[in-house]
Amino acid sequence: MAEEAILGYLEKNEQISDSGNFAAERGFDHNDVVNVIKSLHGFRYIDAQDIKRETWVLTGEGKKYAAEGSPEVQLFLAVPAEGSISKDELQKKLDPAVFKIGCSQAGKNKWVEMGKQVSRKVQNVEDKVKDLLLQVQNGHALSKEEISSLKARKLIVPQTWKGYSVRKGPNYAPKRKKAATDLTRENLQKGDWKELEFKEYNFNAKGQPAEGGHLHPLLKVRKQLKDIFLQMGFEEMPTNNFVESSFWNFDALFQPQQHPARDSHDTFFLEEPSTTRELPEDYVERVKRVHESGGYGSRGYGYEWKREEANKNLLRTHTTAVSSRMLKALAEKPFAPKKYFSIDRVFRNEAVDRTHLAEFHQIEGLVCDRGLTLGDLIGVLHDFFSRLGMSKLRFKPAYNPYTEPSMEIFSYHEGFGKWVEVGNSGMFRPEMLLPMGLPEDVHVIAWGLSLERPTMILYGIDNIRDLFGHKVDLGLIKRNPICRLGIS
């Protein structure tokens, strides 16, 4: 309808000087007319020039007063024509905002006598504010003084009106000819393709964005860490079993059965299957002996070791359970030095907050060779962390049940301006290694850290739930940049 009216009008007239007036005269919505003008202009049926006008529109408060009357008039009408009314009674009759503004304006206009009792000074008043608001609402022009008074009371605000003036374009026609976008078999059969006008190709238009897979930030950092381990000659351990027995997760690591970490408040135990089916019996017996009475230079823990505790199945609390299996397998063959690593998921029964989840990823590396010392561990840690871009390291003595000596690893973070704990490390105890059957001069140095913490620092994420879990924003996955560890 609007398109026919515009093209028809231009057939007999030189131009449409104002799209707003054109729409109003013919009962069209101006927005519909604007959309048609833009479309016709795009196909060069018409040439359109912008028109901008500053107009005034009512605020929400202005609309209310235009309908109900100004506060001063509402207050005046609430005062009895004869006699007076107490200020408290008058306040009860009116909205609090209306009462406050009405008292000020009516007193200023000398319409009422204000005191404990309120009475009229005049008998009739004219609501000029309402009249002016209605004029603005109907599009009538006001004087500068009238605009200023309404503007000062925040009853009107300026608004830019946008429209168009329109003339015939180079492709003008009284009726738009629909351009064909496809050449069909029917067009060829009927021969009407000769009469068709085809839509021009827009070679500058962007095509549909190609959707593809996106790597999660954790996967990007994991890939970089894996490459670093491989460059250092490490071999990846198989970590595909999330379910582990308490024996491999705790007992084989010389962690006592009464240790707090083995409590249900810290560990997820399985209900079904609740226990493991088989364990290497001869090795189990050696582990039991070293827990109860010691050996290999150790006094042990001096408690009654229970097989039923070792049989319990759980979600592994660390990937060191895999390390214990790998070292036991290594002990069953003629000894050869090995360097292992793993990066995989572990589970802890912890309260979820901005820095902790019940599941996270552990990075672990270990070196098994003859004659290794704490100095070798520190040297390997400097090599490993320097490849992550952390050249300033400090070490602090710590305690772990299965490593002695043990060290916490700290790195100086330039952005934070302080030392930040980045991992834990140590040398596996003889009570762990010798029952496996490894030679006495074989030592194992190891270290571990989480995958989430360096990822959060690299990508500027301060809540771990924004990185991992059901609350992750998919936009983060699509927009996160590439990861290059060790490059500043």
Side-chain angles (χ1 to χ4, degrees), residues 17-20 30 34 38 48-56 158-165:
S17 57
D18 189 310
S19 59
H30 185 244
V34 166
K38 288 179 179 178
Q49 296 293 325
D50 292 343
I51 299 175
K52 292 183 180 179
R53 284 200 296 268
E54 290 291 332
T55 61
W56 295 94
Q159 185 181 70
T160 301
W161 179 90
K162 295 180 181 180
Y164 294 95
S165 65

Side-chain angles (χ1 to χ4, degrees), residues 247-248 250-255 282-283 286-287 290-291 295-298 320 322-333 335 338 340 364 366-373 401-405 426-446:
F247 178 79
W248 290 109
F250 295 124
D251 296 277
L253 303 180
F254 195 56
Q255 193 158 329
D282 56 337
Y283 177 47
R286 292 196 296 272
V287 169
V290 78
H291 274 252
Y296 316 105
S298 170
T320 316
V322 181
S323 302
S324 64
R325 285 181 177 272
M326 296 298 291
L327 291 171
K328 177 64 175 68
L330 190 62
E332 293 172 354
K333 304 172 185 177
F335 179 74
K338 285 287 184 181
Y340 291 125
E364 183 168 348
L366 66 89
V367 180
C368 178
D369 202 352
R370 299 182 188 275
L372 292 175
T373 66
Y402 46 89
T403 58
E404 180 61 39
M427 299 182 68
F428 284 151
R429 296 175 69 110
E431 298 96 324
M432 172 186 166
L433 299 177
L434 296 180
M436 293 177 175
L438 287 167
E440 289 188 15
D441 62 341
V442 169
H443 298 155
V444 178
I445 57 176

